[in-house]
Amino acid sequence: MKIGKFRLLAASLLLTTGAASAREAIPIESFARVPNIQSISMSTDGKNLVAIVAMPGSNNQDTALATWDLDNIGSGSVITPSGDRMKFIAANAMKANRVLVIGRQEWTGQLGGCGEGSVVGATKTFVNKAYLTDTKQKKFDEAFADNTRKIGIGEDIKRCLEIAGTASLIHTLPLDPDNVIISQVSGLSLSGNYYLYNLRTNETKLLFKSGGRTSPGLFNPRDGELLTRTQLEPISPGEYEQRVLIRNPKTKEFEVHENLTRKLSERYTVDIVGIDENTGKFYVLTDLFSDLVQAWMYDPAARKFDAEPLLAHPTFSIGGLILGTQPSNFNRVLGFVIDGPQREVTYVDPNLQAIQAGLKKAYPGQTISVGGYNNDLSRVLFTTSSPQRAPAYRLLLDRKQVVELGEQRPWIDANQIGEERWVTYPARDGLNIPALLNLPAGWKEGDGPLPTIIHPHGGPWARDYGGWDASGWVPFLTSRGYAVLRPQYRGSAGLGRKLWLAGDGEWGQKMQDDKDDGAAWLIKQGIADPERLAIFGYSYGGFAAAAAVVRPNSPYKCAISGAPVTDLNKLGWSWSESRLQRILQGRTVKGMDPMQNVQNANIPVLLYVGDRDVRTPSFHARDFYDGVKGKVSAKYESIPDMPHSLPWYYRHHQKTLGLIEQFLTKDCGTSGL
């Protein structure tokens, strides 16, 4: 795979992102194919580029690992195809000419706590494994392997660990030429310990030994010393305190900081993301003082926050700080991220600020994301994307030339994808619900109402961002003439504590009202046709679709429920392998249980789930189908070898998108949607 032609930055690429005339639907094939290029990164020294690419000759149905020597960029890339079973899904350019690549493999066996899935009995699932190779890709070894893992464990767990690996990368320590920080699974306890790992010699040095209730926080980005940690302590039946401990630089002992410590059930964000080396103060992202997350400075010596936040936004949370990773700017705040409709980066560093401004001018209407750079900024990796255009990757050389590295899906015509809006509508109880609204290309006010899909996200402790939809579902639907509304219903995270906490115990109740109220608002706006409404969701969104099937007075003509949860009683004991997750989120999963209300089914439903889905096992979809099939038109599909989360195989996209298309056009009521 060769790098594309050079292009002068001054020759700006003009994009048309406005409304276009109606076109034919984008084929399923366009979303099913493996992207030409993805998961791209540049080593911090600016010498190497690494990516996952479509395997040559596979017709974009399989992946490969690609590496480039940026000192000889015109010579093309070195490519290693995925294996028959282990498929490359992600990669990262490391220092010392090393490459970290993640593979995924189908596996069936007894996990016993190794990986996501059942603790007892055999599980049909996938396992991920990390490999280290060099830029020539001559040899692939298990990343950060621990040969002691085989002691004292059963054969099934041993086999799982051999396939899945035992370690993961935690911190790259960008100024250290040899070492990174890794976590490594203990073969005896299956708990994680944290080590300084030498990429050249494979030697390790223990930094922190984790326990059942203890986890590391911030490592010093210069030398890997652990600066903070957290500890869970029971304070009453069912209640825990999450204590934040900070290392005292004089005594070297960890001390509890009470003003950073909160009850776990309160669910405050207290995220220590960096340290100001000049003052010794920590950068903390927290919502202790606001409904939204703000950036604050915390003085560990005085044990207090500054009088005013370092950064705050009136409408959205601060999503992160961008700290320097090169000798010229190391550990300085270079910019920040606002968690708006899209994650918007603002640079305060004048050099990066100027580069971003120039790129925005060259690529109008697109989001610019800087993915990496070298010390003198003579090589800058950046991404462009928009709701209409899949991510494209480019390299800026000497601040004046651009090398085209490739676009994920160049075969999709941006003019076939319409407008995206961030909107807000009132729920029936007065709570304001934000949402993303996507419209078909060419539609304008006054053209008449549209068939509409209400499309709630999964989680539910998650949120949607605008821009290119990696699942492909939104452009797939809008190119077929549907309007798509993605409500950020109560229970959604990242948009303020009030909205997040309002979802507690409201599954299928007020959380569901928010979706229905979004449909009513679209009708009032003249956008949605009240006779042509459907709901489609996946994971928690699949629960919402199943709940819509059994709720009275449904506004929808039909429902599509992908990988759903339908039985809240069973979810209570299979919620998560993470104890912390069960403590936090499990107690909020209450409300209307679809499985207890199957007798009230009143609209047609399509249910589908992957047979290797261990997060929302197939019994949820199958049992709900069995309960409603005699009362409404119902379909159930088990998708061979599909896991819960992306990335999926080519055949998975082909199958699921085909099911969705057929159901909407033929089986959504008597005449389709």
Side-chain angles (χ1 to χ4, degrees):
M1 181 175 182
K2 295 224 182 241
I3 294 287
K5 295 181 179 179
F6 285 83
R7 183 174 56 79
L8 292 178
L9 184 59
S12 300
L13 178 65
L14 300 178
L15 303 178
T16 56
T17 58
S21 58
R23 296 173 179 266
E24 292 183 5
I26 300 173
I28 289 173
E29 170 85 5
S30 294
F31 300 105
R33 297 170 69 186
V34 168
N36 271 357
I37 184 170
Q38 60 184 313
S39 188
I40 190 167
S41 61
M42 185 173 68
S43 58
T44 54
D45 57 14
K47 293 181 178 180
N48 302 304
L49 197 69
V50 174
I52 300 296
V53 299
M55 187 171 76
S58 72
N59 194 27
N60 287 80
Q61 294 190 27
D62 212 342
T63 59
L65 173 68
T67 56
W68 291 265
D69 177 356
L70 293 182
D71 289 330
N72 298 286
I73 194 169
S75 61
S77 59
V78 177
I79 291 181
T80 298
S82 288
D84 291 338
R85 298 195 64 190
M86 187 66 78
K87 307 297 183 182
F88 294 138
I89 61 171
N92 186 42
M94 305 278 282
K95 55 199 169 189
N97 289 324
R98 302 286 272 167
V99 175
L100 182 70
V101 58
I102 308 299
R104 192 179 68 185
Q105 179 175 327
E106 303 159 29
W107 189 78
T108 302
Q110 184 173 344
L111 291 170
C114 172
E116 184 179 18
S118 301
V119 175
V120 296
T123 299
K124 191 176 184 180
T125 184
F126 277 79
V127 291
N128 293 338
K129 185 170 184 175
Y131 295 95
L132 275 175
T133 186
D134 60 19
T135 54
K136 301 299 183 183
Q137 304 180 35
K138 296 294 186 183
K139 183 182 179 184
F140 288 76
D141 295 312
E142 179 183 332
F144 324 123
D146 174 14
N147 293 326
T148 67
R149 68 174 182 267
K150 298 180 180 180
I151 301 173
I153 59 175
E155 289 299 319
D156 287 318
I157 299 177
K158 183 193 300 184
R159 178 61 179 151
C160 176
L161 291 173
E162 286 172 352
I163 294 174
T166 59
S168 58
L169 178 68
I170 302 299
H171 199 293
T172 60
L173 298 177
L175 291 192
D176 188 317
D178 303 321
N179 294 294
V180 295
I181 299 175
I182 65 165
S183 69
Q184 204 167 69
V185 175
S186 165
L188 291 173
S189 65
L190 298 182
S191 62
N193 296 325
Y194 295 79
Y195 296 90
L196 200 65
Y197 182 92
N198 190 299
L199 290 168
R200 300 182 193 273
T201 66
N202 299 326
E203 294 176 347
T204 58
K205 174 186 175 183
L206 182 65
L207 296 173
F208 180 73
K209 196 174 184 64
S210 67
R213 296 199 298 263
T214 302
S215 58
L218 180 70
F219 290 96
N220 188 316
R222 286 190 182 272
D223 59 16
E225 178 188 35
L226 185 64
L227 300 177
T228 73
R229 63 181 178 89
T230 61
Q231 188 165 321
L232 289 180
E233 290 294 340
I235 56 175
S236 64
E239 182 62 270
Y240 291 80
E241 191 173 70
Q242 184 163 317
R243 299 175 180 174
V244 176
L245 295 87
I246 297 177
R247 184 187 291 271
N248 185 317
K250 295 180 180 179
T251 67
K252 305 300 181 182
E253 297 294 324
F254 280 97
E255 301 171 350
V256 176
H257 283 243
E258 299 293 346
N259 49 351
L260 301 179
T261 295
R262 291 294 184 273
K263 291 180 181 179
L264 196 61
S265 61
E266 294 175 337
R267 303 210 308 267
Y268 281 104
T269 296
V270 182
D271 189 8
I272 301 176
V273 297
I275 185 169
D276 178 12
E277 295 176 307
N278 292 325
T279 64
K281 294 181 180 180
F282 289 100
Y283 301 113
V284 183
L285 299 182
T286 185
D287 53 9
L288 287 171
F289 312 107
S290 168
D291 183 58
L292 301 168
V293 172
Q294 302 169 325
W296 287 77
M297 300 294 291
Y298 177 77
D299 186 341
R303 293 181 176 244
K304 66 178 183 179
F305 286 95
D306 284 359
E308 299 290 336
L310 176 68
L311 288 167
H313 191 276
T315 310
F316 299 107
S317 288
I318 301 300
L321 299 180
I322 301 171
L323 301 174
T325 58
Q326 295 290 345
S328 59
N329 60 22
F330 189 75
N331 215 29
R332 294 201 332 249
V333 175
L334 306 182
F336 56 91
V337 180
I338 298 172
D339 268 345
Q342 298 187 53
R343 288 177 63 85
E344 181 182 347
V345 174
T346 299
Y347 285 104
V348 295
D349 175 78
N351 290 315
L352 285 168
Q353 192 177 66
I355 288 172
Q356 185 185 50
L359 293 175
K360 283 185 174 181
K361 186 176 181 181
Y363 301 94
Q366 298 204 59
T367 298
I368 307 296
S369 301
V370 173
Y373 55 89
N374 62 350
N375 190 47
D376 64 0
L377 295 175
S378 60
R379 293 173 180 173
V380 178
L381 175 67
F382 69 98
T383 304
T384 62
S385 65
S386 74
Q388 297 79 25
R389 292 181 179 272
Y393 306 100
R394 298 176 169 93
L395 194 63
L396 175 65
L397 299 178
D398 300 319
R399 307 195 194 189
K400 59 184 178 182
Q401 290 181 312
V402 170
V403 179
E404 304 284 352
L405 302 174
E407 185 178 340
Q408 283 191 6
R409 300 182 183 275
W411 50 82
I412 292 181
D413 182 355
N415 292 321
Q416 292 179 275
I417 301 173
E419 178 188 0
E420 181 175 273
R421 303 175 184 174
W422 182 261
V423 299
T424 303
Y425 62 86
R428 64 192 67 182
D429 63 358
L431 184 66
N432 285 326
I433 307 298
L436 282 161
L437 173 62
N438 291 81
L439 299 165
W443 187 88
K444 57 185 183 298
E445 310 293 340
D447 280 353
L450 294 161
T452 299
I453 311 294
I454 304 300
H455 185 40
H457 61 73
W461 288 3
R463 58 156 292 187
D464 290 306
Y465 288 96
W468 180 256
D469 176 29
S471 72
W473 289 328
V474 173
F476 170 80
L477 292 166
T478 58
S479 77
R480 281 156 175 75
Y482 302 107
V484 178
L485 184 75
R486 289 176 279 174
Q488 308 308 295
Y489 49 83
R490 70 193 71 202
S492 298
L495 291 162
R497 283 176 55 80
K498 181 180 179 181
L499 185 71
W500 184 28
L501 297 176
D504 289 5
E506 292 292 345
W507 285 50
Q509 297 173 159
K510 290 182 180 180
M511 291 171 75
Q512 198 73 18
D513 292 343
D514 293 345
K515 290 98 172 174
D516 296 357
D517 294 344
W521 178 80
L522 284 176
I523 293 168
K524 188 176 181 180
Q525 300 300 309
I527 295 171
D529 183 342
E531 302 300 320
R532 303 177 71 191
L533 284 168
I535 184 169
F536 161 45
Y538 189 88
S539 196
Y540 167 84
F543 165 87
V549 173
V550 300
R551 293 226 318 174
N553 305 312
S554 174
Y556 310 109
K557 194 174 180 182
C558 66
I560 299 174
S561 178
V565 167
T566 63
D567 192 325
L568 297 189
N569 288 328
K570 290 184 178 178
L571 183 64
W573 51 259
S574 65
W575 177 249
S576 171
E577 296 302 321
S578 165
R579 182 165 178 255
L580 179 61
Q581 182 83 347
R582 288 196 300 270
I583 294 169
L584 273 178
Q585 194 168 7
R587 66 178 60 175
T588 71
V589 183
K590 300 174 184 176
M592 190 276 288
D593 192 331
M595 274 306 299
Q596 301 303 312
N597 291 276
V598 291
Q599 70 278 4
N600 299 324
N602 57 81
I603 59 173
V605 60
L606 164 66
L607 299 119
Y608 71 88
V609 62
D611 71 357
R612 292 186 180 273
D613 190 331
V614 294
R615 192 164 301 166
T616 55
S618 59
F619 69 77
H620 282 285
R622 186 182 60 250
D623 291 354
F624 187 76
Y625 166 75
D626 289 340
V628 304
K629 64 182 179 183
K631 303 168 183 64
V632 295
S633 174
K635 293 182 178 293
Y636 168 74
E637 288 278 349
S638 175
I639 313 299
D641 287 333
M642 192 173 89
H644 186 81
S645 302
L646 288 166
W648 295 315
Y649 293 157
Y650 173 89
R651 64 180 183 272
H652 299 151
H653 289 286
Q654 285 274 33
K655 180 65 174 179
T656 55
L657 293 177
L659 287 170
I660 292 167
E661 182 168 52
Q662 177 172 331
F663 187 78
L664 290 175
T665 57
K666 296 183 179 179
D667 301 314
C668 185
T670 55
S671 57
L673 196 63

